[in-house]
Amino acid sequence: MNQPVYVLGGYQSDFAKAWARNGQDISDMTREATLGALHACQLEASDIDSIHVGNAFGELQRQQAHLGSMVAQVVPELWGVPAMRHEGACASSSLGILSAMAEIEAGRYDCVLVLGVEEFKNLSGNESSVNQNAAAWQGHEGFDCTFMWPAAFGRVAMEYERRYGLDRRHLNRIAEINYGNAKKNPLAQTRKWQFDDLAFTDDEQANPVIEPGTRRQDCGQITDGACAVVLASARFAQAHANRIGQNLQSMARIAGWGHRNAGLRLLDKFEHSKDHPYVFPHLRQTIEDAWQRAGVSGVQAMDGIETHDCFTITEYVAIDHLGFTAPGQSWQAVESGVIAPGGSCPINMSGGLIGCGHPVGATGSRMLLDASRQVTGQAGEYQIDGARRMQTLNIGGSCGTVVSFVVERN
């Protein structure tokens, strides 16, 4: 990386809130997150040089596109600031972060707002589920199903079973950990949810099959939500730190990044990797790119991970691709406790997509904000003791778009 990019702070909405039930919509979410981020960072609107908005399904859910201009519409103080919208399915706001970083590294701008925002609760669950199918290759995926994404990631579980063997007890344990972590997160969608003793088993009543390979508790929680972060150059961050009486060394910075893409169709990815040790080689490459740019050798340099668990199998995939174990042996990290609270490298202390919630376009920025809070000691009840370096892994579609960031404090 040419120069460091600092995370000045940010704001996350309450992921348990269903905005339409309060007579509000995506515009209100945009306003709250934008103003919240400015307040949290002790910035004025005039400090913002550029704006990036991540959103996947605004046209389908609310018939609302052109979300770059939505920011100035609801926060008039930002009228005239250049803005653009990014779509990369669940990785949409991570693409906004990458674009903001490029602007800062190029010297074009010094202080950039990145906002992820998504609204789902304005429509029925079935309608929202159908809309999300747009992140797959419509009509070409090659398998029949009622619910595309539970079916697709059920196929990933089946592929792991075919290649390496898979014990569903380990997927159930991942769900149990992430729901448990969410209870300590005051903004998590599921923080007040209660489960019975059979919820994290393969009991057909307590945890029924949704699609082959996927049960109820395997599924991340699609929800409404917005999350904004403010990124800055070293020059701006130093001046801002001086102004608010803070030490630059105490701020989070993005030390490395990785970004790669594959095609839309899931079965083509399996075919592409049939002779490779990893099911998703480009996912492994993304992670390695982030390490290389950050100047670290691997996951052993991390104090924690915020990863994409749209389904439990997605986190299971992340575990071996991150190098916790050899390919196909993710169960070892689940059984050893290394990824649980108190382990040497906890995963998804926020609750992740399963526990915290998954407002698709906001997930990448939420991961970055949580990683930044961890390394600056601001994660509250779900703080990892002594955390100084975190990694995020954000996945769009069936690993079509993959982005990873390494976040650290000097």
Side-chain angles (χ1 to χ4, degrees), residues 34-57:
T34 300
L35 293 178
L38 292 175
H39 177 76
C41 298
Q42 301 182 56
L43 293 169
E44 301 294 331
S46 58
D47 291 317
I48 302 299
D49 297 325
S50 177
I51 301 167
H52 294 268
V53 180
N55 172 268
F57 301 114

Side-chain angles (χ1 to χ4, degrees), residues 15-185:
F15 282 6
K17 180 177 178 179
W19 291 69
R21 296 174 193 168
N22 295 276
Q24 297 174 299
D25 61 25
I26 197 169
S27 64
D28 300 287
M29 299 162 70
T30 299
R31 175 178 170 82
E32 180 177 309
T34 300
L35 293 178
L38 292 175
H39 177 76
C41 298
Q42 301 182 56
L43 293 169
E44 301 294 331
S46 58
D47 291 317
I48 302 299
D49 297 325
S50 177
I51 301 167
H52 294 268
V53 180
N55 172 268
F57 301 114
E59 292 93 335
L60 296 170
Q61 288 290 136
R62 181 60 75 173
Q63 294 80 54
Q64 182 61 63
H66 205 176
L67 292 173
S69 282
M70 178 62 78
V71 183
Q73 182 65 47
V74 296
V75 183
E77 297 87 346
L78 292 168
W79 203 279
V81 177
M84 64 183 79
R85 180 262 186 104
H86 302 267
E87 187 282 315
C90 311
S92 294
S93 54
S94 284
L95 299 183
I97 292 164
L98 287 169
S99 296
M101 290 173 63
E103 290 179 331
I104 291 168
E105 290 166 344
R108 182 177 294 180
Y109 302 122
D110 280 315
C111 185
V112 184
L113 173 73
V114 182
L115 168 71
V117 60
E118 203 78 67
E119 183 179 16
F120 282 115
K121 299 297 186 180
N122 59 314
L123 300 179
S124 71
N126 284 342
E127 289 176 287
S128 294
S129 176
V130 169
N131 287 343
Q132 292 163 52
N133 294 349
W137 193 14
Q138 296 279 45
H140 296 274
E141 288 290 346
F143 47 86
D144 294 327
C145 60
T146 301
F147 301 106
M148 170 58 69
W149 293 112
F153 283 95
R155 290 285 182 129
V156 175
M158 294 176 198
E159 186 69 9
Y160 262 72
E161 169 64 29
R162 185 185 70 81
R163 294 193 191 192
Y164 315 108
L166 179 67
D167 187 334
R168 273 205 48 86
R169 290 179 304 160
H170 300 117
L171 301 185
N172 289 333
R173 177 58 179 152
I174 287 171
E176 186 176 26
I177 290 171
N178 290 348
Y179 277 120
N181 289 344
K183 292 184 180 300
K184 295 183 178 181
N185 184 345

Side-chain angles (χ1 to χ4, degrees), residues 368-390:
L368 181 67
L369 180 58
D370 265 317
S372 300
R373 285 173 170 165
Q374 286 287 354
V375 302
T376 56
Q378 300 178 70
E381 288 190 42
Y382 59 99
Q383 178 69 47
I384 300 169
D385 289 343
R388 298 183 68 89
R389 185 183 290 118
M390 299 281 293

Side-chain angles (χ1 to χ4, degrees), residues 3-4 6 104 107-110 232-242 248:
Q3 61 171 292
Y6 287 84
I104 291 168
R108 182 177 294 180
Y109 302 122
D110 280 315
S233 66
R235 176 177 58 189
F236 185 95
Q238 181 65 74
H240 182 62
N242 293 342
L248 182 66

Side-chain angles (χ1 to χ4, degrees), residues 174 177-178 181 185 256 283-284 286-288 290-291 294 296-309 314-325 333 337-354 356 363-364 366-375 379 382-395 402-408:
I174 287 171
I177 290 171
N178 290 348
N181 289 344
N185 184 345
L283 176 60
R284 173 67 179 181
T286 302
I287 293 164
E288 291 177 333
W291 292 340
V296 299
S297 58
V299 73
Q300 68 274 7
M302 304 302 156
D303 296 308
I305 303 289
E306 280 292 326
T307 197
H308 208 88
D309 59 322
T314 326
E315 181 171 329
Y316 196 86
V317 169
I319 288 169
D320 67 355
H321 285 63
L322 280 159
F324 281 94
T325 71
V338 64
I339 67 168
S344 60
C345 191
I347 292 181
N348 289 342
M349 287 295 288
S350 66
L353 285 64
I354 287 173
C356 182
T363 286
R366 194 279 303 162
M367 287 180 174
L368 181 67
L369 180 58
D370 265 317
S372 300
R373 285 173 170 165
Q374 286 287 354
V375 302
Y382 59 99
Q383 178 69 47
I384 300 169
D385 289 343
R388 298 183 68 89
R389 185 183 290 118
M390 299 281 293
Q391 186 163 10
T392 71
L393 181 59
N394 189 199
I395 293 167
V402 185
V403 182
S404 180
F405 297 108
V406 173
V407 184
E408 63 184 30

